[in-house]
């Protein structure tokens, strides 16, 4: 905004954000996108169909569902951490999706721990647990603690998969337990 000498207010610059969910109605608007003005991790995530928003914290979040993501970020704050991102992997969290999510989160040098919080309603928890194990092995040595909370269909089997994986991954049953494990990991 600029105020002229005759007291008029003029807009001289603006930033416009478009809801990507509406671009199918305005395909011509997609051509206006300038990815150089966006966070590179957010651009990379969108290419993988992941819903990712970079934040300033120290705990990476991988969650399915926006509501659960918000609750997870609240629990991270209550446990003394700060969310480093919002990452919703959606209802079909496969090994490939989990690996892409880990790779995105691990590109943030501020991340000191990762909390995976998945509710297995549509997706079965054992499938996600196997995805976590496969993703970890594909990436190699991960130098930050990973806490995995899987609740819902086959959650008990999922915890066994995580606990018997031999990897530096900790399982949790409740969100409060997961938050406590995040707190311990940050000490």
């Amino acid at each position: 905004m600029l105020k002229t000498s005759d007291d008029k207010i003029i807009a001289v610059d603006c930033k416009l954000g478009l809801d990507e969910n509406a671009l199918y109605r305005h395909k011509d608007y997609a051509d206006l996108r300038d990815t150089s003005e966006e966070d590179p991790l957010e651009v990379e995530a969108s290419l993988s169909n992941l819903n990712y928003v970079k934040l300033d914290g120290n705990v990476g979040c991988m969650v399915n569902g926006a509501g659960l993501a918000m609750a997870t970020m609240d629990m991270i704050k209550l446990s003394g951490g700060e969310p480093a991102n919002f990452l919703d992997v959606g209802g079909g969290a496969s090994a490939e999706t989990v690996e892409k999510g880990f790779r995105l989160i691990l590109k943030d040098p501020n991340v000191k721990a990762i909390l995976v919080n998945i509710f297995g309603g549509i997706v079965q928890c054992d499938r996600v647990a196997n995805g976590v194990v496969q993703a970890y092995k594909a990436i190699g040595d991960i130098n930050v603690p990973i806490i995995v909370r899987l609740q819902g269909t086959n959650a008990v089997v999922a915890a066994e998969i995580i606990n018997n994986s031999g990897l530096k991954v900790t399982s949790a049953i409740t969100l409060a337990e997961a938050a406590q494990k995040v707190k311990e990991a940050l000490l």
Side-chain angles (χ1 to χ4, degrees), residues 106-129:
L106 291 168
K107 287 182 179 181
D108 182 346
N110 296 324
V111 169
K112 304 299 179 223
I114 298 173
L115 175 56
V116 178
N117 188 16
I118 303 290
F119 176 74
I122 296 171
V123 65
Q124 295 182 355
C125 292
D126 56 327
R127 179 178 166 203
V128 177

Short mmCIF file of all heavy atoms in Angstrom, two decimals, residues 106-129:
data_model
loop_
_atom_site.label_atom_id
_atom_site.label_comp_id
_atom_site.label_asym_id
_atom_site.label_seq_id
_atom_site.Cartn_x
_atom_site.Cartn_y
_atom_site.Cartn_z
N LEU A 106 12.85 -35.06 6.59
CA LEU A 106 14.28 -35.11 6.91
C LEU A 106 15.10 -34.06 6.18
O LEU A 106 16.26 -33.82 6.53
CB LEU A 106 14.82 -36.51 6.62
CG LEU A 106 14.31 -37.59 7.58
CD1 LEU A 106 14.64 -38.98 7.06
CD2 LEU A 106 14.87 -37.37 8.98
N LYS A 107 14.53 -33.40 5.18
CA LYS A 107 15.23 -32.31 4.50
C LYS A 107 15.26 -31.04 5.34
O LYS A 107 16.02 -30.11 5.04
CB LYS A 107 14.59 -32.02 3.14
CG LYS A 107 14.90 -33.09 2.12
CD LYS A 107 14.31 -32.77 0.78
CE LYS A 107 14.67 -33.88 -0.21
NZ LYS A 107 14.15 -33.62 -1.55
N ASP A 108 14.46 -31.00 6.39
CA ASP A 108 14.42 -29.84 7.28
C ASP A 108 15.48 -30.05 8.37
O ASP A 108 15.34 -30.93 9.22
CB ASP A 108 13.03 -29.71 7.90
CG ASP A 108 12.89 -28.50 8.80
OD1 ASP A 108 13.92 -27.88 9.17
OD2 ASP A 108 11.74 -28.17 9.15
N PRO A 109 16.54 -29.25 8.38
CA PRO A 109 17.61 -29.44 9.37
C PRO A 109 17.18 -29.15 10.81
O PRO A 109 17.88 -29.54 11.75
CB PRO A 109 18.70 -28.45 8.92
CG PRO A 109 17.96 -27.42 8.12
CD PRO A 109 16.80 -28.12 7.49
N ASN A 110 16.03 -28.50 11.01
CA ASN A 110 15.56 -28.20 12.35
C ASN A 110 14.87 -29.38 13.02
O ASN A 110 14.62 -29.36 14.23
CB ASN A 110 14.58 -27.01 12.32
CG ASN A 110 15.25 -25.74 11.86
OD1 ASN A 110 16.42 -25.50 12.17
ND2 ASN A 110 14.54 -24.94 11.10
N VAL A 111 14.54 -30.42 12.26
CA VAL A 111 13.81 -31.57 12.80
C VAL A 111 14.72 -32.37 13.72
O VAL A 111 15.78 -32.85 13.32
CB VAL A 111 13.24 -32.45 11.67
CG1 VAL A 111 12.71 -33.77 12.21
CG2 VAL A 111 12.15 -31.70 10.94
N LYS A 112 14.28 -32.53 14.98
CA LYS A 112 15.02 -33.29 15.99
C LYS A 112 14.33 -34.59 16.35
O LYS A 112 14.91 -35.44 17.03
CB LYS A 112 15.20 -32.45 17.26
CG LYS A 112 15.88 -31.11 17.02
CD LYS A 112 17.27 -31.26 16.45
CE LYS A 112 17.91 -29.91 16.21
NZ LYS A 112 18.60 -29.82 14.95
N ALA A 113 13.08 -34.77 15.92
CA ALA A 113 12.32 -36.01 16.13
C ALA A 113 11.18 -36.00 15.13
O ALA A 113 10.80 -34.95 14.60
CB ALA A 113 11.77 -36.08 17.56
N ILE A 114 10.64 -37.20 14.85
CA ILE A 114 9.50 -37.33 13.94
C ILE A 114 8.41 -38.10 14.67
O ILE A 114 8.67 -39.14 15.28
CB ILE A 114 9.88 -38.08 12.65
CG1 ILE A 114 10.96 -37.30 11.87
CG2 ILE A 114 8.65 -38.31 11.77
CD1 ILE A 114 11.51 -38.05 10.66
N LEU A 115 7.19 -37.58 14.59
CA LEU A 115 6.03 -38.26 15.16
C LEU A 115 5.11 -38.66 14.01
O LEU A 115 4.62 -37.81 13.27
CB LEU A 115 5.29 -37.36 16.15
CG LEU A 115 3.98 -37.90 16.71
CD1 LEU A 115 4.17 -39.26 17.39
CD2 LEU A 115 3.36 -36.91 17.68
N VAL A 116 4.92 -39.97 13.86
CA VAL A 116 3.97 -40.51 12.89
C VAL A 116 2.72 -40.87 13.67
O VAL A 116 2.79 -41.66 14.62
CB VAL A 116 4.54 -41.76 12.18
CG1 VAL A 116 3.52 -42.34 11.20
CG2 VAL A 116 5.85 -41.44 11.48
N ASN A 117 1.59 -40.29 13.31
CA ASN A 117 0.34 -40.52 14.03
C ASN A 117 -0.73 -40.85 13.00
O ASN A 117 -1.23 -39.97 12.31
CB ASN A 117 -0.04 -39.29 14.85
CG ASN A 117 -1.21 -39.56 15.76
OD1 ASN A 117 -1.59 -40.69 16.01
ND2 ASN A 117 -1.81 -38.49 16.25
N ILE A 118 -1.06 -42.13 12.89
CA ILE A 118 -2.00 -42.59 11.87
C ILE A 118 -3.18 -43.28 12.54
O ILE A 118 -2.99 -44.13 13.41
CB ILE A 118 -1.32 -43.60 10.90
CG1 ILE A 118 -0.09 -42.99 10.24
CG2 ILE A 118 -2.32 -44.12 9.88
CD1 ILE A 118 -0.34 -41.90 9.23
N PHE A 119 -4.37 -42.89 12.11
CA PHE A 119 -5.57 -43.60 12.53
C PHE A 119 -5.96 -44.53 11.39
O PHE A 119 -6.23 -44.08 10.28
CB PHE A 119 -6.73 -42.65 12.85
CG PHE A 119 -7.99 -43.40 13.19
CD1 PHE A 119 -8.11 -44.04 14.41
CD2 PHE A 119 -9.01 -43.50 12.28
CE1 PHE A 119 -9.26 -44.76 14.72
CE2 PHE A 119 -10.17 -44.22 12.57
CZ PHE A 119 -10.28 -44.85 13.79
N GLY A 120 -5.95 -45.82 11.69
CA GLY A 120 -6.25 -46.83 10.68
C GLY A 120 -7.73 -47.12 10.58
O GLY A 120 -8.20 -48.12 11.13
N GLY A 121 -8.45 -46.27 9.94
CA GLY A 121 -9.85 -46.52 9.65
C GLY A 121 -9.96 -47.08 8.24
O GLY A 121 -10.37 -48.20 8.02
N ILE A 122 -9.52 -46.28 7.28
CA ILE A 122 -9.51 -46.72 5.89
C ILE A 122 -8.28 -47.60 5.66
O ILE A 122 -8.36 -48.68 5.09
CB ILE A 122 -9.50 -45.51 4.93
CG1 ILE A 122 -10.80 -44.72 5.10
CG2 ILE A 122 -9.30 -45.95 3.50
CD1 ILE A 122 -10.82 -43.41 4.37
N VAL A 123 -7.14 -47.12 6.07
CA VAL A 123 -5.89 -47.87 5.89
C VAL A 123 -5.64 -48.74 7.12
O VAL A 123 -5.92 -48.32 8.25
CB VAL A 123 -4.71 -46.90 5.64
CG1 VAL A 123 -4.42 -46.03 6.84
CG2 VAL A 123 -3.46 -47.66 5.24
N GLN A 124 -5.14 -49.94 6.91
CA GLN A 124 -4.86 -50.83 8.04
C GLN A 124 -3.50 -50.48 8.64
O GLN A 124 -2.53 -50.25 7.92
CB GLN A 124 -4.89 -52.29 7.58
CG GLN A 124 -6.27 -52.71 7.12
CD GLN A 124 -6.32 -54.16 6.70
OE1 GLN A 124 -5.31 -54.86 6.65
NE2 GLN A 124 -7.51 -54.62 6.39
N CYS A 125 -3.45 -50.47 9.97
CA CYS A 125 -2.24 -50.05 10.68
C CYS A 125 -1.04 -50.92 10.36
O CYS A 125 0.08 -50.43 10.27
CB CYS A 125 -2.50 -50.03 12.18
SG CYS A 125 -3.66 -48.77 12.71
N ASP A 126 -1.24 -52.23 10.19
CA ASP A 126 -0.11 -53.10 9.88
C ASP A 126 0.50 -52.74 8.53
O ASP A 126 1.72 -52.83 8.35
CB ASP A 126 -0.49 -54.58 9.96
CG ASP A 126 -1.65 -54.96 9.07
OD1 ASP A 126 -2.56 -54.13 8.86
OD2 ASP A 126 -1.67 -56.11 8.59
N ARG A 127 -0.32 -52.30 7.60
CA ARG A 127 0.20 -51.87 6.30
C ARG A 127 1.08 -50.62 6.47
O ARG A 127 2.14 -50.50 5.86
CB ARG A 127 -0.98 -51.58 5.37
CG ARG A 127 -0.57 -51.11 4.01
CD ARG A 127 -1.79 -50.90 3.12
NE ARG A 127 -1.39 -50.15 1.95
CZ ARG A 127 -2.22 -49.44 1.22
NH1 ARG A 127 -3.49 -49.38 1.52
NH2 ARG A 127 -1.79 -48.79 0.18
N VAL A 128 0.63 -49.69 7.31
CA VAL A 128 1.43 -48.49 7.56
C VAL A 128 2.72 -48.85 8.29
O VAL A 128 3.79 -48.34 7.97
CB VAL A 128 0.62 -47.44 8.36
CG1 VAL A 128 1.48 -46.23 8.69
CG2 VAL A 128 -0.62 -47.02 7.59
N ALA A 129 2.63 -49.75 9.28
CA ALA A 129 3.83 -50.17 10.02
C ALA A 129 4.85 -50.79 9.07
O ALA A 129 6.05 -50.49 9.15
CB ALA A 129 3.45 -51.15 11.12
#
